[in-house]
Amino acid sequence: MESGGGARRGRMVIDPKVRQVGFVTPGEQDGPAGVSSSSAQVNAPDSPAPVMIPPAPRVAVPAAADHSPPKPAAPVPIPPRSPPLPPRNFDAEDEMPLGSYNPGGEGVLAGSPNSSYGKASSEKAEIGDLSPTMVAELNSSMMEMSLERSKYELPVPEKENESTADVISERVEVPAINNNEGPENDARQRKLKDRTSKAERRALQESQRAAKEAARASAAVAKAKPPPQKKDGSNEKKGVDKKPVDKSGEKDKKKEVVVPEKDKRKDAPAPRLQFDDEQKVAKARRRAIVEQTTETKHRVELFRHLPQFVPPTQLQALEEKYLQNDTMHIHPAVYQVGLKYLTWDIVGGNARCVAMLEAFKEMIRDYTTPPQKVMSRDLTAKINSHVSFLSTCRPLSISMGNAIRSFKLKIGKLRDTLTEAEAKSSLVSHLETFAQEKIILADKEIVKHAVTKIIDGDVVLTHGFSCVVEMVLSHAHSIGKKFRVVVVDSRPRLEGRILLRSLLAQGLKCTYTHINAVTYIMQEVTKVFLGAASILANGTVYSRVGTAAAAMVAHGYRVPVMICCETYKFHERVQLDSICSNELGDPDALVGVAGRKEFRELVGWDESEHLRLLNLTYDATPADYVSMIITEHGMVPPTSVPVILREYRKEPIL
Amino acid sequence: MGMEEEEQVIGDFNRWRQRPELAEAVAAIKALTAVIQRSQASTMMGLEIELKNASEMLKAWDRSSISLSAGCDLFMRYVTRTSALEYEDINAGKSRLIERGERFGDISLKARETIALLGQDFVQDGCCILVHGSSRVVLALLKLAANNGKNFTVIVTEGGPKKTGMEVSKKLSAAGIPVTVIVDSAVAYTMDRVDMVLVGADGVVESGGIINVIGTFQVALIAHSMKRPFYVAAESFKFARLYPLDQQDLSISTGQEESSNPARDYTPPHYLTLLFTDLGVLTPSAVSDELIQLYL
């Protein structure tokens, strides 16, 4: 309303006359030709009034000059990438559906994890920066791999030493095995162990059980009271995981004699493990598959209910426990995917979900029912252990959680009359259909709807990197709409650079700024397109940290905010803030700044008693800031999310 | 579809439109029903295709009418749903559709009565209602309230430049309701005296906002800032699957030229209090709910 007038009304002005938003640090000024000659405006760092300097003559980015012909993954561990072929004809992408979300079709299975780590430490010197694999997989024309990544890499200093902590892998979600699924899963984990070392433990337990039962019963009742308070916060946290837990918990119950204490806790809906409950944390630690060392002295108190980030030195332990332990046998495909999550090689709700579904397909294909076991139950147990492995590597995203729920339902519904081969093929086709319908085709529909909202002369702002938003912008450009893009980025992951590269390669006019400048740049923006990790029942958008800020500023400038999100990511829970549920990232990622070797102020932060670093992964954008949500079913207001959940999820997912 | 077919459909449509009591959407549906009657198709799919073509033609005939395209979409939706059911005999299917199409005319009048019944509860004794635009539904509502013995006064905006407000005021005073006509610029001045605002709608969009005669948005803004309830009376066949972001977006989606003399504007849902529809009294957010169910 206030400043909405002038700059924004000049919609027909494609070439911005006042442009120099010079947030370029000195080191990056001499970037490779491909970047600096593009529309991303670069400015002399010391010029006092960036706004007044006329734009540098824009050199059209040579469209296909640098692209090698698409070739599938060579036996290179990290699939290097080349920019996509612009301008992309949208229909041409039909040939390459699933790969969009994978680091190259075979990428999931090709290349050993170990070598990717070796490479990772040397190449991924930047904090959470454009690792070639991240760039690769987030690009729609995934199949092309070439070694020309370096051309597009913004200059990055050698910072291996300072930021190795996060380089090897972002985190190992150690207690997640237990905490993500609550005491129910604890019970199940314990049962798995019972099965394996039954003889040894049974005798001991039997004798102790009678004695403990009475004491436990009263204690459990007392415990049932305090959990409700935490439960209200924790129930909403990842309700996703509770459902699979409930279902499999019930199945396993029939199979085994259950300790009464477990029964009691099963009756009460499983609360999420809150890390500020000392007793439960201690219990979880005892049962933890991998040793966890909650660094309590580095913990931010406000977030102590969330699983703390654990540096990936746990990787060794992880390997030992999971690979050498025969009973916890993890299928290699799932193992690879898990490791890619660990290193943040695969990021983004869609990419992670698709990779996981692919891995599960492999797993199902290789699965044989052990003798004397019912397929559906055994398979569910196996899926559970795989899922807990994946959540150890990195907490499950909501999209993954929904997919797993739907898959387990399908397993549960398998008719007994089917032969194993039929059942397996039915499951594999379910996974295929899920990925195809809910993700790939849904994205195409979303693009179709979203593109109608972009008109000539628009200035479109986006934050970070959402694969759907990238598709929308590409398609709009390919059908000839004249608009320009503002990419807002934020530390420490700086994911916006991937999007920037991709758009520049297609010839879009882009502006790149940091989140600090969003209030400034919003004056010229006409529309905001954002992606989401999930949308909750009250219309709250759960997305990469920084999205809420961009949406809020847009709302303040009365710029419409469009969220592009597939319906499979919708979730029934409600979240009012970004605190009760989130993912904590590596605090060390905040220490260094790309391009500024001399920035050493925060080094040694962990020795200070007064300083804590907090690196959040997600934030929650209230529904008030959202103008519309673009789903495959059309454009809906944020108030209609529960309607879609109700109408299109008559059976929970699918 | 041949030229004669096209002319027939459009001719039908215009004929129906001339009846003053009939809403545009209903006229469109009646024209489509006539297409079914004339159709020579031997399968439901063939019939569906014919209808689709006819519907496209009607929409192209008058791009700017939201209720027309909403009505066509609604009927096509019904057809698709019906043809999904297996009808052994194409004639049975056809007659079913024809029957539905003809009932639609009745439904629309019935819708008006339902809305009048729901809405007149909101008219209290001694209240003063501001009316903008000329809507048959609003007239029905006010007449019913007057017939039920409520005492209220109405202020009607002139509705320039066509001065549609004069006709409305004539009809209202014929029904025995005290009416005052004001110039459009005097809305803010009079808003002090007004207890509620009541308008009709050309179309109701997915966000819950409405598209109505130019000036509605202005009145809504004033009512909102002076905390007066703003009510909309609209039948459910006016619900359209549009989602305009702003006024310019509206003219793009309806295909009308963005002119300096627009005939309609878009009022965002934020300024509406309630919508009286034949599906009930809805909040703006419920419109999307209904639309999703309708077009599931």
Side-chain angles (χ1 to χ4, degrees), chain A residues 515-557:
Chain A
I515 189 99
N516 294 345
V518 70
T519 47
Y520 170 80
I521 204 78
M522 196 59 76
Q523 301 167 52
E524 338 177 319
V525 170
T526 58
K527 298 203 166 84
V528 175
F529 279 85
L530 299 168
S534 167
I535 306 195
L536 309 177
N538 63 341
T540 302
V541 178
Y542 191 67
S543 182
R544 182 68 88 232
V545 67
T547 307
M552 182 180 73
V553 174
H555 183 256
Y557 280 91

Side-chain angles (χ1 to χ4, degrees), chain A residues 11 453 627 635 637 640 646, chain B residues 206 243 248-249 288-289 293:
Chain A
R11 276 206 191 119
K453 288 299 175 196
S627 310
M635 300 177 272
S640 286
R646 182 188 79 215
Chain B
E206 184 111 37
Y243 203 135
Q248 189 197 36
D249 211 5
S288 176
D289 191 335
Q293 288 185 43

